[in-house]
Amino acid sequence: MKTLKYIFATLFVTTSFIACSDDADDNVVVDINPVEGLYKLYEFSETDHVVEIYSEKQNLEVGYNELSIRIKDKVDNNYVSNASPTWMPMMHMENMSHSGPHSTLLNSEYNTVYKGHIVFQMAENETEYWDLKLNYNFKGEAKSVTNRIHVKQPNDGLKKTQVFTGSDEVRYVLAFVNPTNPEVALNDMQAVLYKMQDMMTFPVVENYKIVVDPRMPGMGNHSSPNNQDLIYNAATKYYNGKLSLTMTGYWKINLKLLNENGDILKGEDVTDDNPSSSLFFELEF
Ligand SMILES: [Cu+2]
């Protein structure tokens, strides 16, 4: 009994101690790495600060790229929380320049990490390249820096981005977001849809619908049950639905894009005579 009391007493003291030390550390971030698991793709060094760019992927790739940005003060090595950054990706082609769809940059759950995404429509090549202009505040001064970035074709060679003209003569960019790790299950599916207003301006397209018809061309073009079409979410600005994958292998996710009136802007039904839509994503797992 004495031993038991001792154990309880020890436990109590230990617990209280942990609780106290937690309180004391409330305003100090200890042992939390806000960019844990991400690859640092770039470090753009300026005189008194450094801009860091992180991604879940090891390269910037054609398609949807979710990026995290931090700005480090070189004097005290602290990351700033009042930078209010904006960005503009730009591709310099032989005969013209254009931007690509990009979200705003927002503070994440950590106030020193700014998150957003860019959809690159094209990869760089020997004569054509991308750069990224960043505007932000550092110590009360407005900064603007432009740096070269490298955009590659994804290694798997699968189509996850579609740039096309709809039956309404509008240019659209549709990019696959999720599932990044597909499973034999009913997967949450996400995509982003932008239209090309001009070379520099790509507004989010709201309230359209993307019909989903996944097929396995290698297996009699069979489908899967319980898919849910992608519907626009005004809060997140993503299109969300469900993607049913009944086995591993190569899947062609046939798509149809419908405007708010239900007019088909791009894509066709899959039938015996028509094995695939002209609008699609590809997955292999
Ligand atoms: Cu281009």
Side-chain angles (χ1 to χ4, degrees), residues 91 93 98 122 130:
M91 188 185 198
M93 303 188 67
H98 64 85
M122 317 169 63
W130 286 88

Side-chain angles (χ1 to χ4, degrees), residues 84-122:
S84 308
T86 63
W87 55 0
M88 181 61 79
M90 187 72 101
M91 188 185 198
H92 301 274
M93 303 188 67
E94 293 208 38
N95 301 319
M96 53 102 141
S97 295
H98 64 85
S99 183
H102 52 281
S103 71
T104 50
L105 278 167
L106 293 173
N107 276 126
S108 65
E109 58 270 42
Y110 306 103
N111 63 3
T112 55
V113 180
Y114 301 92
K115 279 190 175 175
H117 66 260
I118 301 177
V119 178
F120 297 106
Q121 310 95 304
M122 317 169 63

Side-chain angles (χ1 to χ4, degrees), residues 10 44 83 85 117 120 131 133 148 175 186 207 213 222 241-242:
T10 313
F44 301 131
H117 66 260
F120 297 106
D131 61 27
K133 182 184 196 178
R148 179 87 179 258
L186 195 57
N207 301 322
D213 185 3
H222 75 77
K242 298 276 186 195

Side-chain angles (χ1 to χ4, degrees), residues 40 52 64-65 104 121 129 133 160 170 232 282:
K40 190 197 281 177
E52 300 175 349
Y64 176 89
N65 295 259
T104 50
Q121 310 95 304
Y129 67 96
K133 182 184 196 178
K160 293 215 175 72
V170 173
Y232 183 68
E282 293 176 301

Side-chain angles (χ1 to χ4, degrees), residues 213 254-257 264 266-271 274 276-279:
D213 185 3
N254 296 282
L255 306 168
K256 281 192 299 179
L257 177 64
I264 298 170
K266 178 75 176 174
E268 303 80 26
D269 285 328
V270 177
T271 62
N274 182 48
S276 84
S277 172
S278 58
L279 189 65

